[in-house]
């Protein structure tokens, strides 16, 4: 039995896609368990670059079965566009399996996402505008549309009509938008049913059977711990559970089936969208990191907000997710600094905090307390063993490991599949 979970420990874009793809060579199933096409996972294979949003990164390994779990919200147009895009590039992407219980992002969810953001104005979340939040809201309100509803046209039409009755009133009266036609939405969704039917499965049964047979199942997180609806910087979060526990509820396996939880941590910090970020660098230093790390969103192209490594946020993620290993990514991006600051504590109203504060108000008032570590100037992108790294880079990794409290088991030194230092086996 080998169940492995990969999650982001910061605010997303840590390099989960690359880590998943790399392990994918030795994995039987790769499962997405939360989020939707708000995710953007870039995987570089040789000269080819793939930007995956909804499909699990395991799709790029031909022997690996990609699965979309019940915890994901599925935009069907995006699903088939992504599959067709990969098929055109020679990737057998039509082998993906989708949970019958996964919820569907409908055209009205996309509209509501955008109009509510506009309505919020200064208080906006900075969502990806993909309809993800409204689709989860409907799921929890028991007004959602599930994949299986597409196979019963009469039920689907009833559900869409019921959901739109309330939403159309809101769209017209509050947001001053045109009415959305229930029959047009239902027709569009039903147009995908035939293609979807052979891909639809009960992911709980599928994955439990696979684990019983000794198969290796990798759960690929999207988003990250600090975007989690319970543990993140609420309300500046996504609307699902991207934490490790979400792998269970989002796919249908019990907690005892998870053997390893791997946290992906970038060697510095980034965030897209609104919300508190105590170590954010709004100056030319932040700009230099953004350029060096090419920190522009895979999904929306927005420039990512940048700062130095924040040990408090990764430590918190390590605790709540019971991480067994950390993969430290993008260490190569930090080459060329004489000194590298690391956030080791916060100053909140003159008081030092070595751990994240209890309340969001305190986090909004936190200013970073840095420790300064010596940098390195050597190009490390060809390093393949820990010993290949300059002594100061080794010391940087050791210090981060101490601060996080979890062993660093691999280090990324470039976007390519081979640009990784493996310290210990992750499977
Ligand atoms: P994800 O959302 O966590 O999968 O991460 P993204 O794909 O959105 O962002 C990570 C970016 O960094 C991608 O463009 C990757 O190709 C790239 N990347 C991943 N690991 C490394 C690394 O170790 N070094 C460098 N320079 N780039 C990396
Ligand atoms: P990956 O998997 C970074 C952010 C959005 C916004 C907030 C809510 O590539 O790491 P949503 O559209 O989910 O309602 O937006 O969450 N966000 C991400 N930021 N990486 C992601 O995914 C993200 N997915 C959502 O920018 O602040
Ligand atoms: Mg991303």
């Amino acid at each position: 039995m080998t169940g492995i979970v990969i999650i982001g420990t910061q605010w997303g874009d840590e390099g989960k896609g690359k880590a998943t793809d790399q392990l994918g060579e030795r994995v039987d199933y790769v499962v997405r368990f939360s989020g939707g096409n708000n995710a953007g996972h870039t995987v570089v294979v040789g000269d080819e670059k793939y930007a995956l949003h909804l499909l699990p990164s395991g799709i790029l390994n031909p022997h690996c079965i990609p699965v979309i779990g019940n915890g994901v919200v599925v935009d069907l147009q995006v699903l088939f566009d992504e599959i067709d895009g990969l098929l055109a590039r020679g990737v057998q992407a039509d082998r993906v399996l989708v949970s019958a219980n996964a919820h569907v992002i409908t055209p009205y969810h996309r509209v509501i996402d955008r109009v509510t953001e506009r309505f919020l104005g200064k208080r906006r979340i900075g969502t990806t505008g993909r309809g993800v939040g409204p689709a989860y809201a409907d799921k929890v309100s028991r007004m959602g549309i599930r994949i299986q509803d597409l196979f019963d046209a009469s039920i689907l039409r009833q559900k869409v009509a019921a959901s739109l009755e309330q939403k159309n009133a809101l769209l017209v009266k509050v947001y001053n938008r045109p009415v959305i036609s229930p029959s047009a939405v239902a027709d569009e969704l039903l147009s995908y049913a035939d293609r979807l039917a052979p891909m639809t499965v009960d992911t709980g049964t599928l994955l439990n059977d696979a684990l019983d047979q000794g198969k290796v199942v990798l759960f690929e997180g999207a988003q990250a711990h600090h975007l989690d609806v319970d543990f993140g910087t609420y309300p500046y979060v996504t609307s699902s559970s991207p934490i490790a526990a979400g792998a269970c509820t989002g796919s249908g396996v019990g907690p005892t089936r998870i053997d390893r939880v791997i946290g992906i941590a970038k060697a510095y910090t980034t965030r897209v969208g609104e919300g508190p970020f105590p170590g954010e660098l709004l100056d030319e230093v932040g700009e230099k990191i953004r350029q060096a790390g090419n920190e522009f969103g895979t999904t929306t192209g927005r420039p990512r907000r940048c700062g130095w490594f924040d040990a408090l946020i990764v430590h918190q993620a390590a605790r709540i997710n019971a991480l067994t290993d950390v993969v430290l990514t993008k260490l190569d991006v930090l080459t060329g600094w004489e000194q590298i600051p690391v956030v080791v504590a916060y100053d909140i109203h003159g008081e030092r905090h070595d751990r994240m504060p209890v309340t969001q108000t305190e986090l909004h008032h936190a200013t970073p307390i840095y420790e300064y570590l010596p940098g390195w100037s050597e190009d490390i992108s060809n390093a393949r063993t820990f010993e290949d790294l300059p002594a100061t880079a080794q010391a940087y990794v050791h210090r981060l490991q101490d601060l996080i409290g979890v062993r660093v088991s691999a280090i990324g030194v470039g976007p390519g599949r081979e640009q990784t230092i493996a310290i210990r086996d992750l499977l």
Side-chain angles (χ1 to χ4, degrees):
M1 177 175 117
T2 311
I4 301 158
V5 179
I6 282 185
I7 58 140
T9 59
Q10 294 154 319
W11 280 290
D13 305 322
E14 297 88 353
K16 299 175 290 292
K18 177 189 160 183
T20 303
D21 168 68
Q22 244 173 350
L23 290 177
E25 289 190 355
R26 294 153 63 200
V27 161
D28 299 300
Y29 293 79
V30 172
V31 188
R32 276 282 310 270
F33 58 86
S34 71
N37 57 308
N38 47 352
H41 297 180
T42 304
V43 180
V44 179
V45 185
D47 294 333
E48 293 288 316
K49 189 168 165 178
Y50 300 92
L52 302 167
H53 297 284
L54 182 56
L55 295 175
S57 300
I59 202 109
L60 301 175
N61 285 290
H63 60 275
C64 180
I65 301 174
V67 180
I68 294 178
N70 55 277
V72 174
V73 284
V74 182
D75 184 321
L76 292 160
Q77 191 183 333
V78 172
L79 175 72
F80 290 118
D81 282 353
E82 215 166 298
I83 289 175
D84 291 340
L86 288 176
L87 283 172
R89 294 174 72 178
V91 178
Q92 277 311 310
D94 48 356
R95 66 189 201 281
V96 67
L97 302 175
V98 184
S99 166
N101 286 1
H103 279 246
V104 174
I105 300 179
T106 68
Y108 50 83
H109 293 126
R110 287 193 297 264
V111 171
I112 290 168
D113 195 355
R114 291 184 186 149
V115 293
T116 41
E117 280 284 276
R118 226 172 291 147
F119 193 76
L120 281 169
K122 257 187 19 225
R123 291 177 293 118
R124 71 185 179 277
I125 307 296
T127 74
T128 58
R130 302 296 192 263
V132 170
Y136 280 117
D138 271 2
K139 172 179 175 176
V140 176
S141 305
R142 296 162 293 194
M143 259 196 288
I145 309 293
R146 296 194 291 176
I147 293 283
Q148 57 182 281
D149 297 329
L150 270 64
F151 309 128
D152 185 332
S154 143
I155 285 282
L156 180 83
R157 289 189 189 281
Q158 285 174 41
K159 288 191 175 182
V160 170
S163 182
L164 270 176
E165 201 174 297
Q166 184 209 46
K167 289 180 182 69
N168 270 332
L170 198 70
L171 283 170
V172 173
K173 292 184 187 145
V174 179
Y175 297 122
N176 197 23
R177 301 278 305 184
V179 164
I180 296 176
S181 149
S183 58
V185 170
D187 289 346
E188 184 187 324
L189 296 180
L190 287 168
S191 73
Y192 298 112
D194 286 347
R195 199 171 171 195
L196 197 59
M199 299 158 61
T200 305
V201 294
D202 166 352
T203 50
T205 301
L206 175 87
L207 297 172
N208 279 292
D209 286 350
L211 288 163
D212 287 346
Q213 291 160 18
K215 303 277 192 210
V216 181
V217 179
L218 178 61
F219 299 89
E220 177 187 10
Q223 289 81 49
H225 178 87
H226 293 277
L227 288 172
D228 183 88
V229 69
D230 284 277
F231 295 99
T233 43
Y234 189 91
Y236 302 101
V237 292
T238 194
S239 303
S240 64
S241 302
I243 56 167
C248 295
T249 54
S251 72
V253 303
T256 53
R257 309 222 74 162
I258 307 297
D259 302 289
R260 218 150 171 181
V261 183
I262 302 167
I264 315 297
K266 213 181 278 196
Y268 48 97
T269 314
T270 64
R271 166 161 215 173
V272 200
E274 307 300 319
F277 179 176
E280 181 173 16
L281 297 165
L282 295 163
D283 56 6
E284 68 279 5
V285 175
E287 185 55 36
K288 206 170 151 189
I289 297 174
R290 185 175 304 115
Q291 295 302 333
N294 192 24
E295 295 296 350
F296 297 89
T298 310
T299 301
T300 56
R302 288 179 288 180
R304 295 175 183 150
R305 301 156 67 191
C306 295
W308 298 112
F309 188 82
D310 184 328
L312 285 77
I313 72 155
V314 180
H315 178 270
Q316 172 94 333
R319 298 277 293 153
I320 303 240
N321 294 281
L323 297 185
T324 55
D325 302 84
V326 163
V327 172
L328 190 68
T329 62
K330 301 190 107 168
L331 188 64
D332 54 300
V333 173
L334 295 183
T335 296
W337 294 90
E338 209 167 300
Q339 281 195 319
I340 306 177
V342 172
V343 182
V344 292
Y346 297 147
D347 180 311
I348 303 173
H349 302 310
E351 202 176 299
R352 182 185 168 108
H353 288 243
D354 294 305
R355 296 282 176 253
M356 286 191 78
V358 175
T359 68
Q360 187 91 355
T361 306
E362 291 170 290
L363 192 67
H364 278 280
H365 290 101
T367 53
I369 298 175
Y370 291 109
E371 182 174 304
Y372 295 85
L373 303 178
W376 59 91
S377 55
E378 297 90 332
D379 176 3
I380 60 169
S381 59
N382 292 316
R384 294 295 175 268
T385 68
F386 193 65
E387 291 67 37
D388 289 342
L389 292 175
T392 46
Q394 292 186 17
Y396 182 78
V397 174
H398 280 142
R399 182 64 185 132
L400 261 44
Q401 183 170 260
D402 289 346
L403 288 164
I404 302 166
V406 176
R407 59 192 186 177
V408 172
S409 295
I411 300 168
V413 291
R417 256 186 190 168
E418 69 297 344
Q419 288 181 295
T420 301
I421 295 172
I423 297 172
R424 67 180 61 75
D425 215 357
L426 287 167
L427 287 183

